[in-house]
Amino acid sequence: MNRNTDFIPFAKPSLGKEEENAVISVLRSNWLTTGNIALEFERQFREYVGSKHAIAVNSATAGLHLSLEAVGIRRGDKVITSPFTFAATAEVVRYLDAEPLFVDIEESTGNIDVDILDKTTRKNRRIKAIIPVHFAGNPCKMDRIMDIARAHSIAVIEDSAHAFPVRTGKEDRFAGTIGEAGVFSFYVTKPITTGEGGMVVTDDDNIYGRILRMRLHGIDRDVFRRYTNRRASWMYDVVAPGYKYNLTDIAAAIGLVQLEKAKRFLERRREIARSYIKRLSPYDFLTLPRYSNESAWHLFVILLNLERISISRERFVDELLKRGIGVSVHFIPLHMMTYYRKRYSFKPEDFPASYRRYMRSISIPIYPDLSEKDVQYISQSIIDIGKRFYRPH
Ligand SMILES: Cc1ncc(COP(=O)(O)O)c(C=O)c1O
């Protein structure tokens, strides 16, 4: 199959006139930084997901850092996450001089293996937090994770960077609202975007209060109120050495529009996932994700059955690129990265499921603006490559 049209990018934000107009109106207001629009974004977001508080931040990385700080993580504490994640999830643990304790994944989903998690929490008394990562937008087994965490008084901070707006668990709550805190990303490839940005949600007043302060220099009152409330004075106090993690009104204005479109975006991602599964499931050189309405389908990852094909994953990726299809790999496990490998003397096989899954993974395009024609072309290209390099039984 030949295709003479443009390259299909791996990811693309869905932005329209509404976002443009929202940004222009913020620019014209002259209030560009955190103000009324960011407050409104927080209000609408917390109502959307049904959490008591929402705090807008300039990245999910910032949100994860603030959440760990707010639950009291400090030097020498251990924080569990899986190595099958982006750098952000573990680096924030190191920001606080605490130690990430990696727990391997279920190879089939990429999510933390709750049986290994259970065993690990029984053995180690210094574990103070767990950061489950909802890989590709498919929520982790949160009921089990919460039971394990509660049994040992461990805080749960959900890395919900990929998982919005989807519900899970016996209480059918939004992913990200089940642990003590949850963090969403509005990075440009994510389910909704503000360019860069994030949101922390929590029902806990103490966590909320601490994050609010630490988000902006440890100041006891935010700058906006200081300048707009007529009775407020110029006086402020710094009560802790905080950070500079606030979200601008420019970004929040985009976020408000994207929030309105979130359900539609999810519907289209679901359609694409169903279409890929229908088209690709007859082929035994691939393992596909199981369709689930719980997933946000942030990523669509095909797993190569390497015993059924005569080329490596790298070569398969090259063949897709040659056909004008942008792809990626999620994730190169963190225990294989120089920093973690050196610091903790890890070998690739130390987390066998993460390693195996990584070696066979290819993430293919999935986003609301991807057309059905593109989905068909991408699927057919995968089938053609698989057939060409097929290794029979
Ligand atoms: C699983 C995961 N967690 C956290 C992040 C960090 O998000 P942000 O770029 O908003 O800081 C990412 C970003 O790609 C991610 O994939």
Side-chain angles (χ1 to χ4, degrees):
M1 184 173 182
N2 268 321
R3 188 174 191 274
N4 297 318
T5 50
D6 291 335
F7 188 78
I8 303 173
F10 168 65
K12 182 175 168 292
S14 294
L15 300 166
K17 269 270 165 256
E18 301 86 348
E19 284 85 351
E20 281 178 27
N21 291 338
V23 168
I24 288 168
S25 110
V26 172
L27 295 180
R28 289 184 180 154
S29 79
N30 285 331
W31 191 284
L32 307 189
T33 187
T34 311
N36 268 334
I37 309 291
L39 285 175
E40 180 61 15
F41 187 32
E42 289 174 341
R43 190 186 68 73
Q44 290 197 21
F45 199 91
R46 71 173 180 257
E47 273 180 16
Y48 196 107
V49 299
S51 64
K52 188 165 176 199
H53 305 290
I55 308 125
V57 285
N58 56 17
S59 70
T61 309
L64 287 166
H65 182 196
L66 288 167
S67 301
L68 287 180
E69 203 274 342
V71 298
I73 300 304
R74 52 176 69 93
R75 179 188 294 271
D77 288 343
K78 303 242 188 245
V79 175
I80 289 183
T81 193
S82 67
F84 205 72
T85 185
F86 185 60
T89 320
E91 79 197 21
V92 293
V93 178
R94 294 295 304 127
Y95 290 178
L96 296 162
D97 256 332
E99 303 293 340
L101 186 60
F102 290 135
V103 164
D104 209 358
I105 54 163
E106 313 161 327
E107 191 176 343
S108 58
T109 62
N111 282 341
I112 195 162
D113 184 319
V114 288
D115 292 325
I116 306 177
L117 175 69
D118 190 11
K119 281 190 209 125
T120 310
T121 51
R122 285 168 201 271
K123 279 194 305 218
N124 196 318
R125 305 233 153 265
R126 294 217 64 173
I127 298 164
K128 296 288 163 52
I130 302 170
I131 312 179
V133 179
H134 304 311
F135 177 77
N138 181 37
C140 294
K141 292 178 174 139
M142 286 309 297
D143 293 334
R144 254 317 272 297
I145 292 172
M146 294 310 293
D147 286 347
I148 293 167
R150 295 221 162 102
H152 303 279
S153 305
I154 298 171
V156 174
I157 312 292
E158 291 174 76
D159 182 335
S160 213
H162 299 185
F164 181 77
V166 285
R167 293 169 180 274
T168 190
K170 58 176 188 255
E171 288 173 23
D172 198 34
R173 298 184 60 157
F174 275 96
T177 67
I178 300 163
E180 274 63 40
V183 182
F184 299 90
S185 172
F186 308 137
Y187 178 69
V188 68
T189 60
K190 295 298 192 287
I192 62 169
T193 187
T194 60
E196 299 278 1
M199 192 72 80
V200 185
V201 297
T202 183
D203 288 342
D204 184 310
D205 295 341
N206 292 326
I207 294 175
Y208 171 66
R210 180 69 182 176
I211 290 181
L212 208 56
R213 270 184 189 157
M214 296 305 278
R215 179 180 63 173
L216 202 69
H217 304 296
I219 291 174
D220 67 341
R221 234 178 323 166
D222 71 53
V223 174
F224 175 71
R225 283 198 201 104
R226 198 150 40 85
Y227 286 109
T228 55
N229 182 342
R230 262 190 276 149
R231 279 187 305 167
S233 73
W234 46 267
M235 180 62 79
Y236 67 94
D237 189 17
V238 172
V239 294
Y243 312 105
K244 181 74 163 65
Y245 281 163
N246 54 307
L247 188 76
T248 66
D249 268 15
I250 305 170
I254 304 172
L256 278 166
V257 178
Q258 291 265 300
L259 191 60
E260 239 180 80
K261 298 181 176 178
K263 285 233 166 73
R264 215 177 339 128
F265 288 168
L266 174 63
E267 233 1 275
R268 178 68 194 130
R269 285 175 180 275
R270 283 174 171 164
E271 265 173 31
I272 296 170
R274 284 193 293 259
S275 181
Y276 276 139
I277 290 171
K278 193 163 134 241
R279 291 169 192 280
L280 297 174
S281 56
Y283 301 94
D284 71 350
F285 59 87
L286 292 176
T287 297
L288 302 175
R290 208 172 44 81
Y291 182 79
S292 162
N293 259 339
E294 284 197 5
S295 180
W297 295 103
H298 166 57
L299 301 174
F300 193 94
V301 181
I302 58 170
L303 299 178
L304 303 180
N305 294 332
L306 293 168
E307 69 288 355
R308 293 270 73 83
I309 38 181
S310 59
I311 54 172
S312 65
R313 186 268 313 276
E314 282 69 10
R315 179 75 199 284
F316 208 108
V317 165
D318 289 344
E319 291 291 331
L320 286 166
L321 291 172
K322 258 199 262 173
R323 288 164 171 79
I325 300 165
V327 294
S328 189
V329 171
H330 296 87
F331 285 105
I332 307 168
L334 289 183
H335 73 284
M336 296 172 69
M337 298 289 188
T338 301
Y339 174 75
Y340 295 97
R341 191 165 43 78
K342 286 201 172 148
R343 183 175 170 90
Y344 303 101
S345 306
F346 287 137
K347 292 184 207 53
E349 318 78 59
D350 286 347
F351 301 96
S354 295
Y355 180 59
R356 280 197 306 266
R357 188 177 162 103
Y358 158 63
M359 294 298 283
R360 356 172 7 211
S361 291
I362 303 176
S363 306
I364 60 176
I366 184 164
Y367 42 86
D369 288 358
L370 194 69
S371 69
E372 196 50 33
K373 203 161 133 265
D374 286 340
V375 173
Q376 191 210 333
Y377 173 72
I378 295 163
S379 305
Q380 194 54 51
S381 301
I382 293 167
I383 294 164
D384 290 347
I385 300 165
K387 281 185 173 165
R388 185 164 146 220
F389 298 102
Y390 191 69
R391 188 193 279 166
H393 286 266

